[in-house]
Amino acid sequence: MPVKKTKRRVVITGTGMVSPLGRNCAETFDKAAEGISGIDYITSFDTTGLPCRIGGQVRDEWLAAFDDRAAGRLERYSSRGLRLMRTAVIEAAVQARLNEVKDRERVGVSLGSHGENISVGEMSDLLRFYDGRGQWDIPGLIKSGNYSPFQLYLRKPDTATSILSMLFDCRGSSLSLVSACAAGAQAIGEAARIIQDGKADAMIAGGCESTLNFMGFIGFVLIKALSEKYTTPQTASRPFDRKRNGFVMSEGAGAVILEDLEHARSRGAVILGELLGYGSSADAYRITDTHPKAEGAFIAMTAALEDASLSPEDIEYVNAHGTSTTQNDLVESLAIRRVFGERAKSVPVSSNKSMLGHTIAAAGAIECITTLMGMHRSIMLPTINHEFRDPKCDLDYVPNEARHTPYRRALSNSFGFGGQNACLCIGAFEG
Amino acid sequence: MKADTQVVITGAGLACSLGKDTAETWKALLSGETGVKPVRGFDTADFGSRVAAQVEGLTPGSLGIHPRDARIMDIHSLLLMMAGREAFMAAHPVHSGMLGEEMGFFAGMGMIDYKIDDLMPAVLKSLAPDGSMDYHTFYARGYQEIHPLWPLSVLNNITFCQVAIDLGIRGENSVFCPHADGGMIAVTEGIRNLREARSRLVLAGGVSEKVSPLSLARGHLAAILKISGGTGDSRCRPFGEGDKGTVLGEGAGLVALELRSSADSRSVPYSVMISGYGHACEPLDNGPAPTARVIAWAMNQALETASLRTDDIDLVIAHGDGTLHGDRSEKEAVTQVFSGRGDLPVFSSKAALGHLLAAAPAVDIILGKLIIENGIIPPVLPEDTRQEDAGRGGPGFNLVTGRPLKKNVRKIMINCQSYEGQCSSVILESVA
């Protein structure tokens, strides 16, 4: 391998979030620090008869309104996922004073998202005009007026990226990542690479997801990925617990403003932290299973450490992917043991998904932010619902209560369906 | 550019309507053939555009894919797999002892649409006696008629992961969506990855979406498709006059990239390097294309990264998708950046291959490599349109039409753009 060149340092100057726990970063973190769950029975669609009827919903009143003409023009093209993301980006951009950056060709957007799902009503309307043998009655469909043409825009992931570019006047690189649960973390990692390469001074980066609708939800019901055995919604997501039985689907968005250190300094931006490293990998194993020896997860974590020029001994906390599925939590625990060796049991590991549920493409971004906020407040968020010890999950999962401990360097894991993995190495800023 | 940062192409894989591999496609292009034909597979009677460049005769069995895996694959999966295998065969990284974790993979993926037939059984099971949808039945039982693996087939990254499994790639990766800019960003992320020593070899490129009723509907809604009755010459006319609009195509392109020093140490042949790149985004207010300003900005950024001047460029492979707004913005940007170079040859592959969306940039990079190697530029269209175009003021550059143009080409600028305002440019250079 060739010798690496000296990298530009990438810092975080703004964060924004909307989640089942709160309308912004502070609300979400404060409630998570108290071990409060954001999971409840789903009200956004009829779950009658489904084996899982719970999720983490974001309240509609928390979403930023399209209250000016420029934004209003774009409202009909905006999926719920984008509305969540816009809310998060507004918070992050205000904190970073992003509007003060003059050269907008050097400000870009990197977004992990997957577009909106078709609704059952739209699907049944479509099928009324399809004969099942490849023939469509297009004039009839158009005449019916029941299928909105804007649905096609809502499905396209790059529509959201492009709209964010317009709303926040970003004319630089525009990336739309679709790597499932790894998309949010990958969006942040790839944005950092663009800054390190000198192609941008600042990037809006993060992820959003809203699959709490019937067609989005039943996909995960069908592959039996969701928790189906729970006594209360709030106790269903139980990462690393012996009685875990699937993840809980949630919606949300997380946004960070990444910036070249010198650029941030030159304009007097407040530096919240540093993105020290990023690693990604593929399991290349089976499309429906994670690698049993945690190869992909191990490669991503070690790549992030190498990118940060750190060793495992430098890491004081791991924000786990921790989905609450049997398979992920076993494999992730194994990966952490492989990375940290004998020290593994003394490294605190916790899963935000125990409280927030799994926000899919948003998860990596939200968890990057909570990790950073924990550094500022010297709080490691807990893994709640940790009641029954799993002998194969034998690490320190910060069970049930937040831990008041200072830490300055952490890893945040995101592992996606199909076997795409990402890991971010996040640090407190050290000038 | 320092030798230790030069990124060369050591393998190329291409599958499209004109050929199942690079050689077949190149031969057909030089012959002036087009893959654009009346759409097969579904009735287009009510669509304004009834033509596309679809791929024929490709089955999972022909690629040795197990029926179990084929259940969640479609034409785009097969195309990406074919392109990946061809690129890997040429670069043969495994023969050099390269490990899976030393190889990266970056790709742009076209839209993955719901196949209505997959959902039909659930709806039929949920119909009330009067033929209306009984939602309670659907929510309670009907949905169970959908195949359990259906959700995987509509995830955007599953095809990407299937190819990673097929080739044993475990290193750094990312997947972008869904237009040409996604495919180009995949290539440049691959270059960064190599320069930062995160991978020894990177596979990069993209795959189009499947031509389907939904893809045609999407194209019509975006007002980008050429309205055609399926008769006469239905291919698009990049930078031409008359009926404007593009034609969809199916295809995939992947290049194996590595540092020149790595290729030398493995004694793998190469002929070109990618030396510059630029990306930008600014949608037009009145049409589905970027502004000329940001296209020019991305082109200049690519030149600057490659430390080249406009006079150094021998050929532009334009995005040239034949759309009114896209061609207008690109034409303005090219004439602005290459001011005074009316003789500058410009090529576009879209008349022959259709618009391959996320696959288009890698396919154009592969065609650029072949142009440099063979000293010949295929015609955009088989008929010579230069006099006709000149009579209308001309495009401001030398659009290669009629016969292939023999020319010693050493440096090429390749452009691409999306319908949402994104645009990218790369520079391909001969290393001979």
Side-chain angles (χ1 to χ4, degrees):
Chain A
M1 292 269 195
V3 178
K4 289 183 188 182
K5 62 181 180 182
T6 306
K7 291 188 304 187
R8 285 181 172 82
R9 291 173 67 182
V10 177
V11 295
I12 300 167
T13 54
T15 60
M17 184 191 302
V18 62
S19 80
L21 278 180
R23 73 185 76 220
N24 53 36
C25 293
E27 262 188 33
T28 301
F29 190 89
D30 289 346
K31 287 184 183 166
E34 292 175 34
I36 295 171
S37 170
I39 311 303
D40 211 332
Y41 289 104
I42 291 170
T43 57
S44 57
F45 65 93
D46 184 358
T47 59
T48 306
L50 290 179
C52 176
R53 306 181 66 183
I54 58 173
Q57 291 178 234
V58 172
R59 290 189 200 171
D60 290 345
E61 62 265 31
W62 290 348
L63 300 186
F66 286 81
D67 48 7
D68 61 89
R69 182 181 291 185
R73 192 168 55 89
L74 300 169
E75 185 172 6
R76 59 185 175 170
Y77 298 95
S78 301
S79 63
R80 182 167 172 86
L82 171 58
R83 288 160 197 247
L84 293 166
M85 191 65 191
R86 179 169 168 259
T87 305
V89 174
I90 288 171
E91 183 187 2
V94 167
Q95 185 178 27
R97 306 195 325 270
L98 190 65
N99 61 332
E100 295 174 10
V101 176
K102 297 280 184 259
D103 191 351
R104 305 307 290 195
E105 269 89 3
R106 293 188 57 79
V107 183
V109 178
S110 179
L111 176 67
S113 72
H114 297 101
E116 193 142 289
N117 296 292
I118 191 172
S119 73
V120 176
E122 286 165 332
M123 185 179 67
S124 65
D125 284 337
L126 273 179
L127 287 171
R128 283 175 51 212
F129 301 96
Y130 179 64
D131 73 352
R133 296 186 298 278
Q135 305 299 312
W136 285 84
D137 174 13
I138 298 295
L141 177 62
I142 293 168
K143 195 177 173 185
S144 75
N146 289 336
Y147 188 73
S148 165
F150 295 107
Q151 172 66 24
L152 294 172
Y153 287 99
L154 304 183
R155 279 274 299 150
K156 263 159 53 76
D158 65 329
T159 303
T161 317
S162 185
I163 288 178
L164 286 177
S165 298
M166 284 188 267
L167 289 173
F168 295 93
D169 191 21
C170 305
R171 288 176 229 142
S173 294
S174 174
L175 283 68
S176 305
L177 293 97
V178 288
S179 36
C181 322
Q186 287 204 339
I188 292 172
E190 296 298 334
R193 299 260 163 96
I194 289 170
I195 294 171
Q196 285 170 343
D197 193 28
K199 295 288 187 189
D201 294 326
M203 296 283 294
I204 294 172
C208 60
E209 193 80 60
S210 176
T211 45
L212 288 179
N213 45 64
F214 193 81
M215 293 307 290
F217 199 76
I218 60 159
F220 294 95
V221 170
L222 288 165
I223 58 173
K224 300 201 174 298
L226 299 181
S227 172
E228 296 182 5
K229 298 172 190 166
Y230 46 85
T231 49
T232 65
Q234 293 73 30
T235 56
S237 184
R238 38 197 322 115
F240 307 107
D241 182 89
R242 182 159 49 83
K243 294 198 175 181
R244 67 188 183 278
N245 60 82
F247 76 82
V248 175
M249 180 79 78
S250 289
E251 58 181 358
V256 294
I257 308 300
L258 298 180
E259 204 165 339
D260 171 62
L261 170 61
E262 296 312 318
H263 185 266
R265 275 182 168 150
S266 70
R267 69 184 190 92
V270 175
I271 297 171
L272 305 173
E274 183 166 0
L275 189 70
L276 298 170
Y278 161 58
S280 64
S281 71
D283 277 0
Y285 178 61
R286 289 180 189 155
I287 210 72
T288 50
D289 298 306
T290 50
H291 195 286
K293 293 183 178 172
E295 272 301 308
F298 174 78
I299 293 168
M301 293 173 74
T302 49
L305 284 169
E306 189 182 335
D307 190 32
S309 300
L310 294 176
S311 68
E313 288 70 36
D314 298 314
I315 299 301
E316 298 159 279
Y317 168 69
V318 175
N319 189 313
H321 186 54
T323 54
S324 183
T325 62
T326 307
Q327 203 176 33
N328 175 81
D329 296 357
L330 271 184
V331 169
E332 187 168 16
S333 296
L334 174 59
I336 292 168
R337 282 198 293 276
R338 285 186 63 188
V339 170
F340 291 95
E342 290 181 358
R343 195 173 153 255
K345 290 186 179 178
S346 62
V347 179
V349 176
S350 70
S351 169
N352 299 171
K353 294 184 182 73
S354 60
M355 297 160 293
L356 294 170
H358 191 352
T359 52
I360 315 292
I366 287 175
E367 290 159 16
C368 169
I369 296 167
T370 55
T371 302
L372 186 63
M373 293 179 76
M375 284 181 195
H376 281 252
R377 301 179 186 204
S378 297
I379 293 175
M380 291 174 182
L381 292 179
T383 306
I384 65 167
N385 300 320
H386 200 77
E387 298 176 88
F388 304 96
R389 189 174 170 276
D390 181 343
K392 291 181 181 171
C393 296
D394 56 353
L395 306 177
D396 171 10
Y397 298 109
V398 193
N400 302 318
E401 288 185 12
R403 191 170 299 166
H404 293 260
T405 308
Y407 62 102
R408 300 187 65 77
R409 294 189 182 107
L411 295 180
S412 177
N413 289 337
S414 295
F415 307 142
F417 292 111
Q420 280 187 276
N421 311 294
C423 180
L424 300 174
C425 183
I426 301 148
F429 179 63
E430 294 174 357
Chain B
M1 184 179 296
K2 289 180 186 173
D4 63 351
T5 60
Q6 289 180 353
V7 173
V8 297
I9 296 177
T10 56
L14 195 166
C16 64
S17 58
L18 282 186
K20 65 180 183 302
D21 58 25
T22 305
E24 256 186 41
T25 305
W26 177 243
K27 189 178 167 192
L29 264 181
L30 288 179
S31 305
E33 291 179 30
T34 179
V36 177
K37 295 176 183 171
V39 168
R40 299 178 316 279
F42 60 95
D43 184 8
T44 57
D46 297 311
F47 285 104
S49 177
R50 300 177 199 170
V51 295
Q54 291 172 287
V55 175
E56 296 181 56
L58 200 54
T59 62
S62 66
L63 297 183
I65 295 167
H66 193 281
R68 177 197 59 221
D69 300 326
R71 178 66 185 77
I72 53 171
M73 300 175 97
D74 208 331
I75 186 75
H76 63 283
S77 322
L78 308 182
L79 290 168
L80 194 67
M81 200 164 280
M82 282 177 74
R85 287 179 182 180
E86 187 190 359
F88 246 43
M89 184 82 81
H92 55 77
V94 181
H95 295 172
S96 302
M98 218 177 277
L99 302 173
E101 53 265 42
E102 294 176 312
M103 296 184 281
F105 190 12
F106 297 84
M109 312 291 296
M111 286 292 293
I112 312 292
D113 289 311
Y114 292 101
K115 282 193 282 184
I116 296 298
D117 299 270
D118 287 344
L119 306 173
M120 193 89 170
V123 175
L124 293 177
K125 184 90 174 179
S126 311
L127 292 179
D130 65 355
S132 64
M133 178 88 162
D134 179 347
Y135 288 98
H136 184 78
T137 305
F138 183 83
Y139 291 136
R141 294 189 301 279
Y143 77 89
Q144 291 169 344
E145 295 296 313
I146 300 170
H147 191 280
L149 290 181
W150 165 77
L152 294 178
S153 71
V154 293
L155 287 180
N156 301 72
N157 69 329
I158 290 301
T159 284
F160 177 87
C161 293
Q162 284 167 323
V163 176
I165 292 169
D166 187 57
L167 301 175
I169 299 175
R170 289 211 170 119
E172 298 248 338
N173 63 77
S174 212
V175 52
F176 306 93
C177 188
H179 290 307
D181 59 296
M184 195 73 105
I185 281 174
V187 171
T188 56
E189 290 305 299
I191 292 169
R192 285 192 186 103
N193 199 265
L194 291 164
R195 287 184 178 159
E196 292 169 9
R198 298 176 211 276
S199 303
R200 287 178 64 191
L201 180 140
V202 158
L203 204 58
V207 64
S208 69
E209 58 196 41
K210 178 185 179 177
V211 173
S212 69
L214 281 174
S215 72
L216 277 187
R218 196 160 40 238
H220 278 297
L221 283 169
I224 58 168
L225 293 185
K226 180 175 179 177
I227 304 302
S228 63
T231 55
D233 187 3
S234 46
R235 60 179 85 190
C236 73
R237 289 280 303 269
F239 306 108
E241 299 296 328
D243 296 337
K244 295 301 290 180
T246 199
V247 173
L248 295 179
E250 293 174 338
L254 286 169
V255 287
L257 302 171
E258 56 188 303
L259 290 181
R260 189 171 186 170
S261 53
S262 165
D264 286 339
S265 70
R266 297 198 305 119
S267 301
V268 183
Y270 55 84
S271 60
V272 295
M273 65 177 178
I274 300 176
S275 56
Y277 48 86
H279 304 282
C281 177
E282 184 177 56
L284 280 173
D285 283 335
N286 61 347
T291 61
R293 180 174 70 145
V294 286
I295 296 174
W297 199 86
M299 291 167 74
N300 282 322
Q301 204 183 25
L303 286 166
E304 189 184 320
T305 318
S307 302
L308 294 176
R309 297 168 304 145
T310 52
D311 287 349
D312 296 321
I313 299 299
D314 303 310
L315 169 70
V316 171
I317 298 183
H319 180 72
D321 64 359
T323 60
L324 177 68
H325 296 285
D327 279 4
R328 189 181 284 163
S329 283
E330 189 173 20
K331 178 179 162 183
E332 187 182 332
V334 171
T335 49
Q336 179 194 324
V337 171
F338 292 96
S339 172
R341 287 195 61 191
D343 62 338
L344 177 72
V346 172
F347 168 72
S348 163
S349 61
K350 292 182 179 61
L353 304 182
H355 192 340
L356 301 180
L357 300 170
V363 168
D364 284 346
I365 286 170
I366 293 167
L367 296 179
K369 172 178 174 288
L370 291 164
I371 289 169
I372 287 173
E373 287 171 351
N374 294 285
I376 190 162
I377 306 168
V380 176
L381 294 161
E383 64 275 15
D384 191 340
T385 63
R386 280 172 295 181
Q387 279 194 328
E388 183 188 342
D389 290 340
R392 295 181 168 117
F397 40 71
N398 176 20
L399 190 70
V400 180
T401 58
R403 297 162 57 85
L405 175 67
K406 286 186 179 176
K407 182 175 171 62
N408 180 24
V409 174
R410 296 186 57 82
K411 297 181 179 68
I412 302 176
M413 173 172 284
I414 301 171
N415 290 344
C416 77
Q417 61 199 47
S418 80
Y419 297 110
E420 309 294 346
Q422 292 92 344
C423 55
S424 303
S425 298
V426 299
I427 307 279
L428 197 65
E429 280 192 58
S430 168
V431 292

